[in-house]
């Protein structure tokens, strides 16, 4: 099975597993695990922050950050496509009691003028604007990269209004690989930032949140409160150390494979896609012209050995990652091309019915 559903499906390599087995461990809750400490120190340095904390997931990085930055009833400003809105189970409301104010950015990216218009004037009647959240890269926009200059302009407006900034860095290192802009440069304008160790880096568990020492002290308190503190966590943290040593530079391979996939899809009848829109490892394409729905194509592709995801009635997402080779991309193109051809040859209703 060629799994293009998400880069979250990436798996630890045999070399990573051997490295994990040799990890030094200690009580992570007591700050006694040397491997966790090494990982946190490396990520803090990478992002240019004073301190960092190892967390089980990127979602916990986001939710802890919102809770540290905001008080109940205050407001977070982000793009309407942001992960904190769509994929964190209502966590901002349930865990922190914060409001979300959305900005209708272009390809998941809003500008300084839009932010300025979204910031509420001080009023006892309105939520208080408190935090700006930027997602790098913008997932639902197709893995688009926030330009560094746009980030700086947005955060200048935020600072002038007294707002804090948080960088959701789930795929920050994909942006780094594509642009050669340092992670530290992307993170510098923000009060908090994190990187995911799973996804393209291939680790099985975890993310690292960075910020000032005071911020991380409060983050640790919430990590403990919400059940995220661990014991001999060095075994899984070692995967993150290995990933930073071996799997960062190879992210460009995923981008190359995504381009290969996009170019092949763009040549198929009924597929709507501009390869120029593919900036990192995500390929979103429209299948309305095939006569099949996204769900129907996903179902047929699964039966033929390729996993992809429907993101709407006619939109499909495919994501390249460490477990997807150039040869896998070629096979996936053959499968998807065959589905399109079969739809035209035997009819969409017969094809869909045969796989229902």
């Amino acid at each position: 099975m060629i799994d293009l559903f998400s880069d979250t499906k990436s798996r630890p390599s045999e070399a990573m597993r051997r490295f994990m087995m040799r990890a030094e461990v200690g009580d992570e809750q007591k700050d006694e695990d040397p491997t966790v400490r090494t990982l946190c120190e490396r990520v803090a340095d990478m992002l240019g922050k004073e301190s960092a904390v190892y967390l089980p997931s990127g979602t916990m990085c986001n939710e802890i950050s919102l809770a540290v930055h905001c008080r109940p009833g205050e407001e977070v400003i982000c793009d309407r496509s942001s992960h904190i809105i769509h994929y964190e189970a209502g966590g901002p409301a349930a865990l922190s009691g914060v409001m979300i104010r959305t900005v209708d950015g272009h390809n998941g990216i809003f500008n300084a003028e839009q932010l300025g218009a979204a910031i509420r004037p001080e009023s006892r009647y309105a939520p208080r604007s408190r935090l700006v959240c930027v997602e790098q890269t913008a997932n639902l926009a197709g893995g688009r990269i926030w330009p560094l200059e746009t980030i700086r302009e947005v955060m200048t407006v935020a600072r002038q209004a007294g707002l804090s900034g948080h960088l959701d860095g789930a795929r920050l290192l994909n942006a780094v690989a594509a642009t050669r802009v340092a992670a530290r440069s992307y993170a510098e304008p923000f009060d908090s930032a994190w990187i995911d160790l799973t996804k393209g880096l291939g680790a099985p568990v975890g993310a690292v949140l960075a910020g000032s020492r005071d911020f991380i002290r409060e983050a640790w308190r919430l990590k403990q409160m919400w059940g995220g503190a661990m014991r001999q966590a060095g075994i899984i943290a070692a995967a993150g150390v290995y990933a930073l040593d071996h799997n960062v530079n190879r992210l460009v391979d995923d981008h190359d494979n995504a381009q290969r996939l996009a170019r092949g899809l763009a040549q198929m009848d009924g597929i709507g896609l501009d390869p120029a829109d593919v900036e990192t490892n995500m390929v979103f394409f429209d299948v309305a012209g095939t006569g099949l729905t996204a769900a129907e194509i996903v179902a047929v592709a699964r039966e033929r050995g390729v996993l992809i995801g429907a993101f709407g009635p006619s939109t499909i997402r495919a994501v390249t990652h460490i477990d997807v080779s150039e040869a896998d991309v070629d096979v996936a193109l053959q499968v998807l091309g065959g589905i399109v051809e079969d739809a035209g040859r035997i009819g969409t209703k017969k094809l869909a019915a045969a796989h229902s």
Side-chain angles (χ1 to χ4, degrees):
M1 187 71 74
I2 297 171
D3 199 336
L4 293 164
F5 182 83
S6 175
D7 46 6
T8 60
K9 298 293 200 76
S10 61
R11 296 162 297 178
S13 65
E14 287 301 318
M16 178 182 283
R17 292 170 190 245
R18 290 194 296 270
F19 189 82
M20 293 167 69
M21 290 288 289
R22 297 194 300 268
E24 293 185 72
V25 300
D27 191 337
E28 188 256 2
Q29 282 197 28
K30 304 298 184 185
D31 199 26
E32 295 172 355
D33 191 299
T35 307
V36 172
R37 289 173 64 100
T38 295
L39 175 62
C40 290
E41 288 166 3
R42 287 191 60 176
V43 174
D45 181 68
M46 173 188 290
L47 299 180
K49 305 302 181 186
E50 291 179 338
S51 188
V53 58
Y54 181 48
L55 295 170
S57 71
T59 293
M60 186 172 278
C61 290
N62 279 339
E63 293 302 327
I64 284 178
S65 297
L66 267 57
V68 174
H69 287 303
C70 303
R71 304 280 74 78
E74 294 181 336
E75 195 165 64
V76 179
I77 301 173
C78 61
D79 186 80
R80 61 184 173 85
S81 67
S82 295
H83 192 276
I84 61 172
I85 299 173
H86 298 283
Y87 296 114
E88 298 187 10
L95 299 173
S96 304
V98 300
M99 302 278 288
I100 300 289
R101 186 166 174 84
T102 61
V103 179
D104 190 9
H106 177 65
N107 292 326
I109 300 166
F110 54 86
N111 59 36
E113 183 179 358
Q114 288 177 298
L115 175 62
I119 296 172
R120 297 182 190 268
E122 186 67 27
S123 168
R124 65 185 181 185
Y125 298 105
R128 177 178 288 124
S129 298
R130 177 58 68 198
L131 180 68
V132 176
C133 181
V134 164
E135 184 180 335
Q136 180 76 301
T137 61
N139 178 358
L140 290 185
R144 294 299 188 96
I145 300 168
W146 276 75
L148 181 57
E149 188 59 31
T150 301
I151 288 174
R152 287 171 172 166
E153 291 169 353
V154 162
M155 285 310 302
T156 295
V157 170
R159 297 299 184 201
Q160 291 169 348
L163 275 63
S164 298
H166 171 65
L167 178 62
D168 175 342
R171 294 177 177 86
L172 171 61
L173 296 184
N174 286 96
V176 171
T179 64
R180 298 303 179 188
V181 173
R184 176 185 291 249
S185 298
Y186 281 126
E188 188 275 331
F190 299 94
D191 300 280
S192 54
W194 61 274
I195 62 167
D196 201 304
L197 300 167
T198 61
K199 300 185 172 70
L201 295 188
V205 181
V208 182
L209 172 65
S212 68
R213 289 187 181 88
D214 288 343
F215 175 87
I216 296 301
R217 188 178 300 113
E218 290 302 308
W220 244 110
R221 182 176 180 83
L222 288 169
K223 173 182 175 176
Q224 186 74 39
M225 182 186 299
W226 292 349
M230 297 173 277
R231 293 301 181 185
Q232 286 68 38
I235 290 176
I236 52 175
V241 174
Y242 181 92
L244 294 178
D245 285 340
H246 298 90
N247 293 346
V248 174
N249 292 335
R250 60 146 306 279
L251 288 171
V252 296
D253 297 337
D254 298 340
H255 301 171
D256 290 343
N257 282 333
Q259 271 296 318
R260 186 180 186 88
L261 180 64
R263 291 192 300 269
L265 288 168
Q267 296 173 14
M268 296 180 190
D269 291 338
I271 299 290
L273 169 65
D274 183 353
D277 292 336
V278 177
E279 295 182 350
T280 52
N281 66 324
M282 294 186 179
V283 181
F284 280 74
F285 55 100
D286 187 86
V287 298
T290 67
L292 293 166
T293 67
E296 288 168 344
I297 289 181
V298 166
V300 178
R302 182 183 184 91
E303 290 193 8
R304 298 184 182 184
V306 175
L307 295 179
I308 46 181
F311 276 69
S314 65
T315 302
I316 290 176
R317 186 188 76 168
V319 186
T320 54
H321 53 81
I322 193 170
D323 290 335
V324 175
S325 67
E326 183 179 297
D328 291 333
V329 170
D330 291 341
V331 172
L333 286 170
Q334 291 174 5
V335 168
L336 293 169
I339 294 171
V340 172
E341 289 177 5
D342 288 348
R345 180 173 55 82
I346 67 174
T348 57
K349 289 185 179 179
K350 287 184 179 180
L351 180 61
H355 296 273
S356 62

